[in-house]
Amino acid sequence: VCIHRVRSCSSIRFIKSKYVCVFDKSALKFSHQQRLFRTSAVSCGQIVQFKLSDIGEGITEVTVKEWYIKEGDSVSQFDSICEVQSDKASVTITSRYDGIIRKLHYSIDDIAFVGKPLVDIEIDASKGVASEEDVVETPPMSHDEHTHQEIKGHKTLATPAVRRLAMENNIKLSEVVGTGKDNRILKEDILNYLAKQTGAILPPSPKAEIVPPQRKAEAVPAAPKDKARKVPVPVSRPIAFAGKDKTEPVTGFQKAMVKTMSAALKIPHFGYSDEIDLTQLVQLREELKPLAEIRGVKLSFMPFFMKAASLGLLQYPILNASLDENCQNITYKASHNIGVAMDTEQGLIVPNVKNVQVCSVFDIAVELNRLQSLGSAGQLGTSDLTGGTFTLSNIGTIGGTYAKPVILPPEVAIGALGKIQVLPRFNSKGEVFKAQIMNVSWSADHRIIDGATMARFSNLWKSYLENPASMLLDLK
């Protein structure tokens, strides 16, 4: 009872004299410290260690790509704290508390671990938001320091590609003025800032074409549209001869590729290739493109490829399955989550369109447009990059006809699509005609899939694409 009286009183002089005789000096000293700590906690708040929570998919560590706050900033619940990048996706971490940032536990490009403190946030102790185990005891802070650190800091908005460009040129994003929406920093802002600092004239894009100067007297005749050839043009990138080796850690999507491809080596692959006559499909797409554009959607060939694959998977579900590690059980997937390999500035990523079996060709095109936009901006989420059951890789958009695709575990099959070429072919009457030919290369897990099954699936997929009207019979 006496200890309770000591803690609750605001001054030691309120303790009655008849109780003082019960305590020795050490007891009074301990009680006095407890009273002073409680007073400081109420006036200055509690320090909460905001830990990095589990973001799913078995991810245990991430790379801190950007801080949206700094020490001394005031934050509210759901405010963005930082952006981290795992080996699968970029994730924005938001605050769970209202308070003031007191400490950042990591720097840019540091590895943060799930379950470990990310930041220390000072919250109002009177609200009782934080749990007892999250509170960190700290010495009281002066009123002047508390007021100074409550000033709101500037939050930098930029895509991972822009941040990477800034990092490669040792530019602090906080020093760059953003011209995008909500003061978002664009790639042009980084290039303009770098040009002002170095006095150099930089190209507006790292993929700008190099055009040799021409004399005014020269007249270059325009090539006919049908005979125009696409000549590879070198990319204007600044070449730096450092003179010494450079070692970088494997992080982000590269780390994911190392992990996935190492697991893929355990799968016995076999290949199957064929050519597809897309003449009718090319004509159909040209007719449907204006209708899709009216709806604000870009219609490519991939939605047709994916829908035809989904119709084929209904007949051959073994290609939409997975095999457990002990090779004892096969799981047949109910959903056709078909992945599409994309080449981005962050590396190779494979987002997937969910439930293709219940989607129309237009629905698939809409989802592909969304995934491509997010992929270009480096903003694909974990849900977009996980859960795939079957994959198509359209390597033909870059070049090449045949490929040897590698299966993405736990999937059991993948297809690589070559470029569409105009080649001479014979019709049923023996007449030569101009055909739109595309080559496809399949790889399958030979532990559970035989060559005959893969060939029959490919033939069915081929028939849908060579006669697009036949898909109408099976569309739901």
Side-chain angles (χ1 to χ4, degrees), residues 304-324:
F304 297 96
F305 299 153
M306 296 175 68
K307 190 59 185 180
S310 179
L311 294 174
L313 293 176
L314 292 174
Q315 302 295 324
Y316 301 95
I318 188 64
L319 298 175
N320 196 59
S322 64
L323 183 67
D324 64 357

Side-chain angles (χ1 to χ4, degrees), residues 103-380:
K103 181 180 179 181
L104 306 181
H105 286 268
Y106 301 98
S107 301
I108 300 295
D109 292 330
D110 282 354
I111 302 297
F113 297 91
V114 172
K116 298 297 182 181
L118 192 63
V119 296
D120 290 352
I121 304 177
E122 181 180 344
I123 65 172
D124 188 352
S126 62
K127 296 182 180 180
V129 177
S131 59
E132 199 72 31
E133 60 184 10
D134 290 337
V135 177
V136 181
E137 297 181 7
T138 57
M141 185 180 296
S142 65
H143 176 72
D144 294 339
E145 184 179 0
H146 186 275
T147 305
H148 175 70
Q149 293 192 1
E150 279 184 346
I151 300 175
K152 187 70 174 179
H154 175 67
K155 294 183 180 181
T156 304
L157 298 177
T159 63
V162 173
R163 290 195 296 270
R164 181 177 181 85
L165 180 61
M167 180 180 64
E168 291 175 349
N169 292 277
N170 296 322
I171 297 176
K172 294 182 179 180
L173 290 177
S174 58
E175 299 176 354
V176 181
V177 178
T179 59
K181 183 180 180 181
D182 298 328
N183 296 325
R184 181 181 294 273
I185 297 177
L186 306 177
K187 186 181 298 183
E188 290 75 11
D189 300 329
I190 299 294
L191 296 175
N192 292 335
Y193 179 87
L194 187 61
K196 291 179 181 179
Q197 296 296 319
T198 62
I201 301 177
L202 300 178
S205 171
K207 294 185 178 180
E209 298 180 352
I210 299 178
V211 181
Q214 299 179 356
R215 298 177 182 178
K216 295 182 179 180
E218 291 181 352
V220 181
K225 186 176 182 180
D226 56 342
K227 296 183 179 180
R229 296 180 59 189
K230 295 182 179 180
V231 180
V233 180
V235 178
S236 60
R237 297 182 185 274
I239 301 175
F241 298 95
K244 56 182 179 180
D245 297 341
K246 181 175 67 172
T247 302
E248 294 181 348
V250 179
T251 59
F253 295 116
Q254 285 184 332
K255 190 173 184 180
M257 185 182 296
V258 170
K259 181 179 178 181
T260 304
M261 293 299 101
S262 297
L265 286 176
K266 302 177 183 179
I267 300 175
H269 289 58
F270 81 90
Y272 177 83
S273 300
D274 200 357
E275 71 171 29
I276 319 295
D277 184 357
L278 299 181
T279 303
Q280 292 187 35
L281 182 60
V282 170
Q283 182 180 356
L284 176 63
R285 173 177 171 265
E286 290 299 321
E287 295 175 359
L288 297 179
K289 273 180 62 178
L291 299 177
E293 291 176 357
I294 293 176
R295 301 186 187 184
V297 175
K298 180 181 179 181
L299 182 62
S300 64
F301 289 103
M302 184 56 72
F304 297 96
F305 299 153
M306 296 175 68
K307 190 59 185 180
S310 179
L311 294 174
L313 293 176
L314 292 174
Q315 302 295 324
Y316 301 95
I318 188 64
L319 298 175
N320 196 59
S322 64
L323 183 67
D324 64 357
E325 293 183 0
N326 297 325
C327 300
Q328 299 297 319
N329 299 288
I330 300 174
T331 302
Y332 293 88
K333 304 294 185 179
S335 299
H336 297 172
N337 300 338
I338 300 182
V340 182
M342 293 184 180
D343 179 38
T344 68
E345 294 185 4
Q346 290 79 37
L348 177 66
I349 57 176
V350 189
N352 59 83
V353 178
K354 302 290 194 296
N355 299 311
V356 176
Q357 76 279 5
V358 294
C359 294
S360 66
V361 172
F362 182 78
D363 294 334
I364 300 171
V366 172
E367 182 65 6
L368 279 178
N369 282 195
R370 184 186 71 86
L371 293 175
Q372 288 168 349
S373 298
L374 293 177
S376 300
Q379 297 176 351
L380 285 168

